[in-house]
């Protein structure tokens, strides 16, 4: 199975992609996670994209394409999380896969703006325990001070949201019959069961 999860920031792409990867034995490729790791390690790529990612803007298509294509050259299945993000990237991906196994389809996690703002408002990371949902302050497990992703600050969330609707909306018609749309406002378990059903024909 080769799929992409589409949806605005906070739609739950990361959580659901990880589940799909475990359930169907797929490689999970999150461009956002790859970029954050490169930035954290201070690599040349990380230094090049740091300002863009922290401002909530999109990294240049050639850069993102290069990062993704270097990881999907083999014959295995995958779930893409955060890619493609616009029509140009979707076309490049189809062209890249033209000589191998094409993508089966894309799943759109349809989440309302109110729900996204509510979810991202309490998305924090503990330096020891990883991602936690908390109103801020201390980690409920170990008590360490929580950190927020620089691009989860409220005004950056709003910018990422506007950017998402401007460039990612048209992807829904690009995928046309290859698109499964899922109501993503529900809880993790409910959304997962909808997603699992939607992608079953591609398994
Ligand atoms: P995410 O974790 O998917 O919200 O991605 C975090 C940030 O990484 C985004 O705000 C962009 O700056 C960058 N990014 C991730 N995926 C892409 C992509 N497909 N195209 C351009 N920029 C991306």
């Amino acid at each position: 199975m080769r799929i992409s999860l589409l949806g605005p920031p906070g739609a739950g792409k990361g959580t659901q992609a990880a589940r799909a990867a475990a359930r169907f034995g797929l490689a999970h490729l999150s461009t956002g996670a790859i970029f954050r790791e490169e930035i954290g390690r201070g690599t040349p790529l990380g230094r090049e994209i740091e300002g863009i990612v922290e401002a909530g803007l999109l990294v240049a298509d050639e850069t993102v394409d290069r990062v993704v294509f270097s990881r999907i050259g083999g014959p295995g299945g995958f779930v893409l999380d955060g890619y493609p993000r616009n029509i140009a990237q979707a076309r490049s991906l189809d062209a890249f896969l033209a000589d191998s196994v094409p993508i089966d389809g894309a799943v759109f996690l349809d989440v309302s703006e109110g729900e996204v703002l509510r979810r991202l408002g309490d998305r924090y990371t503990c330096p020891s325990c990883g991602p936690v949902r908390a109103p801020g302050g201390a980690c409920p497990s170990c008590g360490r001070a929580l950190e927020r992703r620089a691009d989860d600050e409220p005004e950056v969330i709003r910018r990422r949201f506007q950017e998402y609707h401007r460039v990612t909306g048209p992807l829904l018609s690009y995928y046309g019959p290859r698109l499964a749309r899922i109501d993503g406002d529900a809880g993790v378990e409910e959304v997962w069961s909808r997603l699992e059903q939607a992608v079953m024909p591609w398994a």
Side-chain angles (χ1 to χ4, degrees), residues 31-32 35-36 53 57-59 64 82-83 85 89 149 160:
T31 44
F35 291 153
R36 280 187 292 280
V53 172
L57 300 173
L58 290 181
V59 174
V64 191
Y83 179 91
R85 206 95 147 198
Q89 293 178 7
R149 267 173 57 170
R160 290 166 74 207

Side-chain angles (χ1 to χ4, degrees), residues 35 49-60 85 151 156 159-160 163 166:
F35 291 153
I49 61 174
E50 185 165 16
I52 297 168
V53 172
E54 288 187 355
L57 300 173
L58 290 181
V59 174
R85 206 95 147 198
D151 58 356
V156 180
R159 194 165 337 123
R160 290 166 74 207
E163 192 66 5
R166 191 174 66 77

Side-chain angles (χ1 to χ4, degrees), residues 35-76:
F35 291 153
R36 280 187 292 280
E37 198 204 316
E38 296 277 342
I39 293 169
R41 284 168 43 217
T43 64
L45 172 62
R47 289 200 300 276
E48 178 191 324
I49 61 174
E50 185 165 16
I52 297 168
V53 172
E54 288 187 355
L57 300 173
L58 290 181
V59 174
D61 291 340
E62 313 79 74
T63 308
V64 191
D65 292 344
R66 184 162 36 87
V67 164
V68 173
F69 298 166
S70 68
R71 289 166 162 86
I72 59 168

Side-chain angles (χ1 to χ4, degrees), residues 168-191:
T168 311
L171 270 185
L172 306 186
S173 26
Y174 176 85
Y175 279 109
R178 293 187 291 169
L179 184 85
R181 183 188 286 256
I182 285 175
D183 178 352
D185 265 2
V188 173
E189 296 303 328
E190 178 60 31
V191 174

Side-chain angles (χ1 to χ4, degrees), residues 3-173:
I3 56 172
S4 169
L5 296 194
L6 310 177
K13 297 190 293 294
T15 306
Q16 299 294 342
R19 288 226 171 174
R23 166 72 174 80
F24 298 105
L26 312 172
H28 174 194
L29 213 70
S30 158
T31 44
I34 293 168
F35 291 153
R36 280 187 292 280
E37 198 204 316
E38 296 277 342
I39 293 169
R41 284 168 43 217
T43 64
L45 172 62
R47 289 200 300 276
E48 178 191 324
I49 61 174
E50 185 165 16
I52 297 168
V53 172
E54 288 187 355
L57 300 173
L58 290 181
V59 174
D61 291 340
E62 313 79 74
T63 308
V64 191
D65 292 344
R66 184 162 36 87
V67 164
V68 173
F69 298 166
S70 68
R71 289 166 162 86
I72 59 168
F78 55 71
V79 51
L80 301 175
D81 157 11
Y83 179 91
R85 206 95 147 198
N86 58 34
I87 297 278
Q89 293 178 7
R91 290 209 175 103
S92 304
L93 176 64
D94 279 338
F96 179 76
L97 297 176
D99 293 331
S100 68
V101 186
I103 193 158
D104 293 295
V107 181
F108 176 54
L109 295 179
D110 195 0
V111 180
S112 66
E113 182 171 335
E115 178 66 13
V116 164
L117 288 170
R118 192 187 66 73
R119 288 185 191 175
L120 295 190
D122 66 2
R123 180 159 82 171
Y124 287 84
T125 302
C126 168
S128 307
C129 310
V132 291
R133 295 208 177 282
C139 173
S141 305
C142 73
R144 287 190 68 173
L146 296 175
E147 295 164 356
R148 205 208 274 274
R149 267 173 57 170
D151 58 356
D152 277 347
E153 294 299 333
E155 75 277 14
V156 180
I157 293 176
R158 269 190 288 277
R159 194 165 337 123
R160 290 166 74 207
F161 218 80
Q162 288 163 6
E163 192 66 5
Y164 171 81
H165 283 295
R166 191 174 66 77
V167 299
T168 311
L171 270 185
L172 306 186
S173 26

